Amino acid sequence: MITITAFERSPDRGRGLARDMRVRWALEEVGQPYEVRLLSFNAMKEPAHLALHPFGQIPTYEEDDLALFETGSIVLHLAERHPGLLPNDINARARAITWIFAALNTVEPPIMDLTTTKLLEADRPWAAERLPLVTGRIRARLAPLSARLGDADWLDGAFSAGDLMMVSVLIRLKVSGILSEYPNLAAYVARGEARPAYRRAFEAQLAVFTGNSPPG
Ligand code: GTB
């Protein structure tokens, strides 16, 4: 059985923004059942969890004698071992993996900066000056991404783990209004969110917050 970890009380109140969501989504896409161990912020920094995740974060992934951290690694692991998230053609597979890295290394960092600026630095005297710099860096990533996607449904042919990761990263921009400046990217995210596997994953993480988790 696969076990992942997630926040006992997610600060996003179940809106699916914490990173366990992308792992849940990948698990649903490949049809693997999983259990969730919920952790308090204190428990995440205790030795038992630090043995799984050196930085004391969620999510982690345990399967038999394998323990992983980092959502990129976990999603890639699932995509490599189960059909459904990576194409068979070796070059198309390499390109799909490239989109996972692009999502995590190129697109997510400025989006994370926006969260930091708004949530953790809002009271700093330089916050108002920094905000347009951060949003400018986000647009510098979204404009070429939007151009590359064009009117395609997914980034490179069929839906892949690359799309799963890119949609997961872009979702955090919805509340900022920046995503809607790029209608094809907004539609791309909506397509991802409409996938049955996404819906199941979303409901499962929301149930933790609403207290409607199945027992066990
Ligand atoms: N690079 C790692 C990965 O991809 O797995 C990053 C993991 C990570 O940042 N985990 C966060 C965490 O454990 C949770 S997802 N933070 C606690 C800590 O570092 O002590 C980040 C997150 C948290 C909350 C919201 N939210 O409420 O909106 C959104 C995203």
Side-chain angles (χ1 to χ4, degrees):
M1 177 51 97
I2 293 166
T3 303
I4 67 166
T5 51
F7 284 137
E8 187 178 70
R9 281 176 213 281
S10 183
D12 75 346
R13 306 162 68 93
R15 285 187 298 138
L17 300 178
R19 286 186 175 88
D20 58 294
M21 178 60 205
R22 55 188 70 167
V23 172
R24 292 174 184 268
W25 184 8
L27 284 159
E28 293 288 351
E29 289 284 352
V30 300
Q32 288 296 302
Y34 63 99
E35 289 177 347
V36 183
R37 190 165 63 250
L38 300 174
L39 296 175
S40 66
F41 278 89
N42 284 343
M44 283 163 47
K45 308 303 175 196
E46 283 170 7
H49 187 65
L50 289 171
L52 293 173
H53 196 309
F55 306 112
Q57 296 183 311
I58 60 95
T60 55
Y61 175 99
E62 292 155 82
E63 181 186 11
D64 302 325
D65 56 357
L66 174 68
L68 296 175
F69 61 97
E70 286 297 333
T71 53
S73 166
I74 298 168
V75 168
L76 183 55
H77 168 79
L78 289 168
E80 284 182 324
R81 274 156 189 78
H82 305 281
L85 282 175
L86 285 176
N88 290 329
D89 174 78
I90 196 160
N91 285 352
R93 200 176 179 89
R95 289 196 303 273
I97 293 170
T98 300
W99 281 115
I100 299 179
F101 280 90
L104 294 174
N105 283 356
T106 304
V107 180
E108 188 164 51
I111 294 175
M112 285 309 298
D113 267 357
L114 182 61
T115 307
T116 307
T117 307
K118 284 188 167 173
L119 295 185
L120 304 178
E121 298 171 349
D123 56 347
R124 301 298 173 98
W126 36 261
E129 235 177 309
R130 177 162 148 76
L131 191 58
L133 299 177
V134 172
T135 53
R137 287 184 204 118
I138 292 173
R139 291 187 179 95
R141 295 305 185 213
L142 296 197
L145 183 66
S146 166
R148 171 57 79 100
L149 180 66
D151 57 8
D153 279 355
W154 307 114
L155 285 166
D156 192 336
F159 176 82
S160 78
D163 295 297
L164 183 150
M165 197 59 87
M166 191 64 82
V167 168
S168 299
V169 162
L170 294 176
I171 275 174
R172 196 173 296 179
L173 280 179
K174 276 171 66 176
V175 285
S176 73
I178 299 176
L179 190 65
S180 53
E181 294 171 22
Y182 304 87
N184 68 335
L185 292 182
Y188 172 65
V189 168
R191 265 192 298 283
E193 290 174 308
R195 291 179 71 84
Y198 179 93
R199 299 306 324 160
R200 289 194 296 275
F202 184 89
E203 292 305 327
Q205 62 79 42
L206 179 62
V208 174
F209 187 77
T210 58
N212 290 328
S213 296

